[in-house]
Amino acid sequence: MSAIAGRSLAQIAAELESGIYSSVELTERCLSEIERDELGIFITVTPEQALFSARQSDRRRAAGERLSVLDGIPMAVKDNLCTKNIRTSCASRMLESFVPDYDATAVSRLLCCGAVMLGKLNMDEFGMGGSGDSSFFGAARNPRNPEHTAGGSSGGAAAAVAAGLAAYALGSDTGGSVRQPAALCGVTGLRPSYGRVSRSGLAGLAGSLDQVGVIAGNVRDCALVLGAISGEDAADSTTLPGTAPDFTGLLDGGISGMKIALLEEQCSGMAQEVKAALLETVKVCEGLGAKVERVSVPLLDTALPVYEIISAAESSVNLARYDGIRYGYRAAEYGSLDELYTKSRTEGFGREVRRRLMLGTLLLMPELRDTYYNRATRVRTLIKSELDRLLESFDLLLSPTVPTLPWRLGESRSIGERRDCDSCGVAAALAGLPAISIPVAGAGMQLTAGRFAEAELLAAANAITEADR
Amino acid sequence: MSAYELVVGLEVHVELKTKSKMFCSCPADFGAKPNTQCCPVCAGMPGALPVLNRRAVELAVKAGLATGCKINRKTKLDRKSYFYPDLPKAYQISQFDRPLCEDGFIELEGRRIGIERIHIEEDAGKLVHEGERSLIDLNRSGLPLIEIVSRPDIRSAEEAAQYLKKLRLILLYADISDARMNEGSLRCDVNLSVRRAGERLGERTEIKNLNSFSNVAKAIECEYGRQVLLLESGGEVLRETRRFDEKSGTTIAMRGKGMDYRFMPEPDLPFIELSERDISRIKDEIPPLPDERRERYGKLGLSEYHSQELTADRRTAELFERAAELTGEVQHLAALILTAIPAKAEKYAKLADMLGAGRISSAESKRLLALDGDPEENAIELLSDEVQLREIAARAVAENPKPVSDYKNGKAAAFKTIMGAAMRESRGRANPVMLQQLLLELLSP
């Protein structure tokens, strides 16, 4: 029975403060749950480091020197965020033995708050996939039903929180990879605005799309963690200058008077349950005093192909550094430099990664780049302006996070089904907007706000989930 | 042979004189032990992001301003992809379609060689081959470079060498780079094609692996010859990369597939934006350049030769200029400074004055230059007393009847003998100008 499931960070912090249990006790409970886990949620567990941090935390607490509300609370990190002296594999054979000697900024900021890291979480290989199937270590399973996918690419992160193995988790979102698994596992997943959180140390796949995200049991917890990891980082030139604002300040403000646009183009192909949940969400919003209006943005029909082109092209270049030369997997035998490269990369990368790298490479070739890549970047700019414009007359955009319910692992799904699944997640990434998935009436609902309007976004998400309780 | 015109463009890579690398804070020093100056960024580790070195951008802008380029106020960086073991990310961060500087020139004797563009990029590491093994040193990976691409305006090997010398001088003057080919802080690739008069540009080859200005010139001559021979015998010039082999003095085709670099805008770095103030502040950093100084010296009355020599080095030029504020005797000043005997500006100026006033001989000025102390105190001055000089002149004439009569009979060269005798009698101290005049007076009919 999980020590964490169903408890908010504030509750856990209060219970630690009042000595109901210590951080060490809490951490030990989590570690033994993890040991029993058969859902493939963790790739690497770090009991020694976790207990060490927990002891430090207890010592601080005893001396009245708590670092933050997160001090002493166990969490876990997606395995594409570098962790010093701890293997970071990106769920790939290519980095199966890779141990960085540096922390990702988001990780180090949490550790500086006293967070206790339990280990590294399963994911789709290099973030490519929405089901966990491409993981070198096998897919993580959904705690709500072990036959089902936990989604992806931050499947392990969502499953860890849903199973109560960690109080919250860091993931990464490139085109929905935090929000979709959160939806499929019934927890809350936040993708911050592009530039809100440093990407330094995130072995990402597309520099213009990746963002570090937060998965937690509720909106308030997401806000707390976001506050700890946000803010300018000298190591990442794309971060917003200055320190981050307080994201918890507006949380109880409600949504009365807000205007919410229901995006038609993201409401196609919904399963019955999802449709019902969406209707329920609309009712809740209206009940809270917000106005929900159906809006059509035809340009959004191009969002998925635009995303696929840009992310494939960027990732073909981003992942070129994994060449078997300086670190990572190198083929055991090769007869020439060319063979070193081709064998290491063919053997080191799984099928999905290879497919996307080949696609991305092709798309940047002179014969094709104008038709696809250049055109896609132009349309991306259009999509961004459309959504920016829309968010001038609306406070929020609403859609289901995923049109379907979790599917059975290993079930063959048509390309159409897979793409429908991805289509809701990519627009926010293309436009650099913050978006959150919250569980409402049994399915994940997605809210999107204007760039850097996380406080407003979290307030609305909080109001809706509270009302839905 | 001369039926074929030589068409050459040069691509010069220059290491910028910064404290740290282009995209990380690793030191940019030369000569450290292998792999002691690298970090996750310049080693291409997962998740490591580049951060732009502003000083490198400023030096690149300086280079553009110093060569008359237009500076683009908003530019971006791009990823240039290819696989090679010395390139850690398997892409180089460079600039593709919007370089920092465009449309400049280098002025040679009466001809301008156009500069198409100057852009910033990072250097790759170094491969060291040890028998069967190749070792990678990443110290150089990420060093800040500018690439200066000339237009194909160069028409001879000599011109190419002059272009490089001039470019290097400008880079040194403006403190942009040490620009040493033997240290690799200046590298040059040659693009060469030939054509008959009136024809379109021929297919060009690229020649790499050139490590001195003279090798650049040699390689150009050699490749010109090879291409002409090839065409004359009915062959075709292939677009390829060749390396210059110093020992054989030939260019040899390098194996290698043609590749596309799949340029892509660098998402990890924002646009580079420069304000007018930024650019004028950088412009103020540029000292007067050789050409400008030579013109000024010419107006002061200096010869072309002196001007060239003084401006061959910025410190020498500045020394001259400081001294020239203290004396009007600029010709003497130039000659003194070019003796390369070190001294302060005040001393040079003083000596120039003394020479100009005829108080000392040239030999004496050099002695005083090398001697510590005030020249005024140490000077063995020329004898300029007219009465005494007349006596010496008269004695020389009296004691050298044969040369005197030779001279009076039209042998102009005999004057030298008489003058020599008079100078000897004065133990070299006679003011030669005055003495000569007096002798001529005495000897005139």
Side-chain angles (χ1 to χ4, degrees):
Chain A
M1 183 43 213
S2 162
I4 286 181
R7 310 185 98 65
S8 70
L9 290 176
Q11 271 178 290
I12 300 173
E15 286 165 1
L16 283 167
E17 269 303 288
S18 51
I20 294 178
Y21 44 76
S22 67
S23 175
V24 167
E25 284 168 334
L26 183 58
T27 304
E28 280 172 339
R29 280 285 294 276
C30 291
L31 287 169
S32 65
E33 298 281 323
I34 292 169
E35 232 183 301
R36 287 200 290 274
D37 166 54
E38 285 173 6
L39 299 174
I41 290 173
F42 278 80
I43 290 178
T44 302
V45 189
T46 53
E48 272 166 37
Q49 292 96 326
L51 288 168
F52 177 80
S53 300
R55 280 194 297 273
Q56 298 286 82
S57 173
D58 286 334
R59 218 165 283 151
R60 283 192 294 269
R61 193 168 301 102
E65 286 166 5
R66 193 181 76 159
L67 288 169
S68 75
V69 70
L70 301 174
D71 199 331
I73 301 182
M75 57 86 170
V77 167
K78 185 177 181 180
D79 209 14
N80 61 357
L81 283 153
C82 286
T83 43
K84 186 171 178 162
N85 300 330
I86 295 166
R87 174 185 55 180
T88 300
S89 75
C90 296
S92 177
R93 172 191 273 143
M94 178 58 79
L95 295 181
E96 189 186 358
S97 319
F98 174 67
V99 181
D101 64 358
Y102 50 94
D103 277 322
T105 297
V107 172
S108 80
R109 284 181 179 180
L110 284 176
L111 295 176
C112 285
C113 287
V116 172
M117 189 174 73
L118 295 166
K120 309 299 293 300
L121 296 164
N122 204 351
M123 53 182 280
D124 284 275
E125 187 180 1
F126 279 108
M128 298 186 184
S131 64
D133 286 307
S134 67
S135 168
F136 178 61
F137 301 94
R141 294 163 176 277
N142 196 320
R144 301 210 288 189
N145 182 336
E147 301 297 306
H148 286 171
T149 178
S153 62
S154 309
V161 173
L165 299 178
Y168 61 93
L170 285 184
S172 71
D173 188 304
T174 304
S177 290
V178 156
R179 295 161 280 153
Q180 183 255 45
L184 295 178
C185 292
V187 291
T188 303
L190 169 69
R191 181 209 159 89
S193 310
Y194 186 83
R196 176 63 80 191
V197 180
S198 170
R199 288 178 297 116
S200 179
L202 168 68
L205 57 121
S208 75
L209 294 164
D210 293 331
Q211 254 299 274
V212 173
V214 182
I215 298 181
N218 61 76
V219 176
R220 190 174 298 269
D221 290 358
C222 281
L224 278 170
V225 179
L226 182 67
I229 60 176
S230 303
E232 181 177 7
D233 184 12
D236 178 353
S237 307
T238 61
T239 52
L240 182 69
T243 47
D246 171 24
F247 297 111
T248 59
L250 295 177
L251 275 181
D252 299 311
I255 56 170
S256 177
M258 280 200 192
K259 286 182 72 187
I260 302 175
L262 178 59
L263 296 174
E264 284 207 357
E265 281 75 15
Q266 295 189 343
C267 292
S268 57
M270 284 188 284
Q272 272 295 76
E273 296 88 335
V274 177
K275 187 165 183 188
L278 178 63
L279 292 173
E280 180 62 29
T281 306
V282 172
K283 261 215 316 237
V284 168
C285 291
E286 288 172 339
L288 289 169
K291 274 242 281 287
V292 180
E293 199 180 304
R294 295 177 78 93
V295 174
S296 168
V297 185
L299 198 54
L300 284 181
D301 281 336
T302 64
L304 189 58
V306 166
Y307 170 84
E308 284 172 334
I309 291 166
I310 293 174
S311 74
E314 284 195 24
S315 60
S316 75
V317 181
N318 248 33
L319 269 66
R321 68 186 64 196
Y322 305 113
D323 56 8
I325 300 279
R326 295 167 313 294
Y327 57 86
Y329 179 86
R330 187 192 283 196
E333 285 172 24
Y334 46 90
S336 66
L337 182 61
D338 266 1
E339 255 186 45
L340 196 171
Y341 283 136
T342 50
K343 280 178 116 182
S344 302
R345 288 165 65 81
T346 306
E347 292 165 22
F349 288 136
R351 255 188 88 225
E352 182 60 20
V353 171
R354 296 200 309 268
R355 187 185 74 82
R356 294 204 198 182
L357 296 186
M358 285 194 278
L359 176 64
T361 305
L362 271 174
L363 292 174
L364 287 175
M365 297 297 281
E367 302 86 343
L368 297 176
R369 68 182 291 137
D370 231 14
T371 314
Y372 294 98
Y373 179 74
N374 290 349
R375 192 173 292 177
T377 53
R378 284 197 295 273
V379 177
R380 178 185 186 171
T381 310
L382 293 176
I383 292 173
K384 183 175 188 308
S385 343
E386 263 300 284
L387 291 178
D388 286 344
R389 206 179 47 81
L390 195 58
L391 285 160
E392 276 168 27
S393 22
F394 289 91
D395 299 285
L396 298 164
L397 311 176
L398 172 67
S399 77
T401 308
V402 189
T404 63
L405 294 180
W407 55 94
R408 296 180 73 81
L409 271 172
E411 174 183 280
S412 90
R413 301 164 71 222
S414 70
I415 291 192
E417 279 176 311
R418 279 189 268 141
R419 297 181 85 225
D420 273 343
C421 187
D422 295 338
S423 62
C424 295
V426 300
L430 290 171
L433 302 174
I436 191 169
S437 177
I438 45 173
V440 185
M445 292 294 124
Q446 176 174 261
L447 290 163
T448 307
R451 185 126 180 241
F452 300 123
E454 280 88 341
E456 289 81 357
L457 177 70
L458 291 160
N462 192 42
I464 296 167
T465 46
E466 292 280 294
D468 181 57
R469 219 177 273 277
Chain B
M1 190 209 81
S2 53
Y4 283 93
E5 177 184 58
L6 171 69
V7 178
V8 164
L10 296 179
E11 269 171 37
V12 177
H13 286 88
V14 173
E15 268 172 28
L16 298 173
K17 217 165 150 170
T18 55
K19 287 207 196 90
S20 41
K21 294 187 177 182
M22 192 75 200
F23 297 115
C24 61
S25 50
C26 288
D29 304 327
F30 179 75
K33 282 174 76 172
N35 295 313
T36 53
Q37 285 174 183
C38 52
C39 72
V41 178
C42 54
M45 306 296 278
L49 299 174
V51 180
L52 185 61
N53 182 332
R54 281 304 290 192
R55 185 64 188 151
V57 175
E58 290 178 354
L59 291 178
V61 171
K62 230 203 221 186
L65 292 169
T67 52
C69 292
K70 164 175 79 92
I71 309 298
N72 286 321
R73 292 195 24 210
K74 187 170 177 184
T75 60
K76 65 174 166 68
L77 294 143
D78 299 286
R79 294 183 178 179
K80 179 178 178 183
S81 293
Y82 62 94
F83 282 90
Y84 203 61
D86 66 3
L87 195 64
K89 297 186 295 294
Y91 59 87
Q92 176 195 37
I93 302 178
S94 176
Q95 293 188 293
F96 177 45
D97 52 338
R98 248 197 267 181
L100 202 48
C101 320
E102 288 181 286
D103 294 333
F105 59 90
I106 296 276
E107 193 95 52
L108 302 179
E109 326 258 314
R111 248 170 68 74
R112 266 193 187 183
I113 307 297
I115 288 177
E116 192 175 300
R117 51 183 279 158
I118 301 178
H119 70 254
I120 51 172
E121 60 185 27
E122 58 177 339
D123 209 346
K126 229 192 307 196
L127 280 188
V128 176
H129 301 289
E130 233 180 45
E132 287 281 297
R133 299 194 310 167
S134 295
L135 304 170
I136 305 169
D137 177 10
L138 293 178
N139 283 354
R140 206 182 67 178
S141 164
L143 281 186
L145 299 177
I146 41 173
E147 182 176 328
I148 304 170
V149 182
S150 85
R151 293 196 196 281
D153 293 343
I154 293 169
R155 291 287 170 272
S156 72
E158 174 56 33
E159 235 173 38
Q162 278 174 24
Y163 172 89
L164 288 172
K165 288 197 184 106
K166 187 75 178 282
L167 179 59
R168 175 162 195 269
L169 194 60
I170 291 172
L171 294 170
L172 287 171
Y173 258 70
D175 239 342
I176 291 167
S177 170
D178 289 332
R180 296 197 186 111
M181 256 184 121
N182 61 342
E183 270 178 22
S185 48
L186 187 148
R187 288 164 239 163
C188 178
D189 295 335
V190 172
N191 288 314
L192 187 154
S193 65
V194 301
R195 65 174 168 194
R196 274 189 285 239
E199 271 183 1
R200 274 185 9 241
L201 282 177
E203 190 61 83
R204 67 164 198 255
T205 59
E206 182 183 21
I207 308 167
K208 293 175 106 73
N209 196 42
L210 300 164
N211 60 9
S212 68
F213 291 173
S214 69
N215 274 351
V216 169
K218 279 192 205 139
I220 288 173
E221 274 165 3
C222 149
E223 179 62 9
Y224 173 81
R226 184 193 77 86
Q227 285 194 14
V228 166
L229 205 61
L230 190 57
L231 291 170
E232 304 248 90
S233 55
E236 243 184 276
V237 175
L238 296 170
R239 173 174 287 228
E240 60 187 355
T241 303
R242 302 176 72 84
R243 66 176 180 82
F244 179 66
D245 182 64
E246 207 177 343
K247 265 197 243 133
S248 63
T250 61
T251 62
I252 301 170
M254 286 170 83
R255 272 180 310 110
K257 308 164 246 192
M259 64 173 104
D260 187 83
Y261 293 114
R262 292 185 291 121
F263 283 98
M264 187 196 96
E266 173 56 75
D268 295 331
L269 292 167
F271 280 107
I272 302 174
E273 299 193 60
L274 296 158
S275 67
E276 285 299 343
R277 266 192 69 204
D278 289 327
I279 295 176
S280 66
R281 182 177 48 84
I282 294 168
K283 193 168 190 160
D284 287 342
E285 274 184 39
I286 304 176
L289 295 174
D291 283 354
E292 187 194 324
R293 293 189 204 232
R294 270 206 296 278
E295 224 190 283
R296 250 194 288 145
Y297 299 177
K299 293 212 182 92
L300 287 176
L302 279 192
S303 68
E304 182 61 40
Y305 170 76
H306 275 162
S307 300
Q308 282 268 59
E309 291 296 303
L310 286 171
T311 56
D313 175 76
R314 188 177 111 207
R315 261 186 242 132
T316 308
E318 287 175 345
L319 177 61
F320 170 76
E321 286 162 23
R322 276 202 306 282
E325 284 175 15
L326 304 170
T327 175
E329 300 289 346
V330 289
Q331 310 265 36
H332 287 304
L333 187 58
L336 284 167
I337 290 177
L338 290 173
T339 59
I341 301 169
K344 291 230 169 76
E346 295 76 9
K347 195 169 181 186
Y348 283 120
K350 164 117 284 162
L351 286 167
D353 276 339
M354 289 165 84
L355 278 168
R359 291 169 54 197
I360 54 174
S361 70
S362 169
E364 175 64 5
S365 75
K366 293 197 179 103
R367 186 190 76 89
L368 289 169
L369 201 49
L371 190 64
D372 268 336
D374 187 357
E376 285 284 2
E377 286 177 18
N378 297 327
I380 301 173
E381 298 208 20
L382 290 173
L383 179 59
S384 298
D385 178 74
E386 198 176 319
V387 171
Q388 285 182 279
L389 283 176
R390 249 183 223 289
E391 282 176 23
I392 291 170
R395 265 204 294 281
V397 168
E399 286 165 13
N400 292 278
K402 178 125 190 340
V404 169
S405 73
D406 281 345
Y407 175 75
K408 287 196 174 161
N409 285 332
K411 238 178 142 192
F415 184 79
K416 278 220 197 81
T417 318
I418 307 164
M419 179 77 174
M423 283 300 282
R424 270 196 303 279
E425 209 203 291
S426 75
R427 280 192 296 279
R429 289 192 52 216
N431 182 324
V433 174
M434 285 180 70
L435 182 62
Q436 184 173 314
Q437 224 181 309
L438 290 168
L439 277 174
L440 285 169
E441 269 182 41
L442 283 178
L443 293 172
S444 64

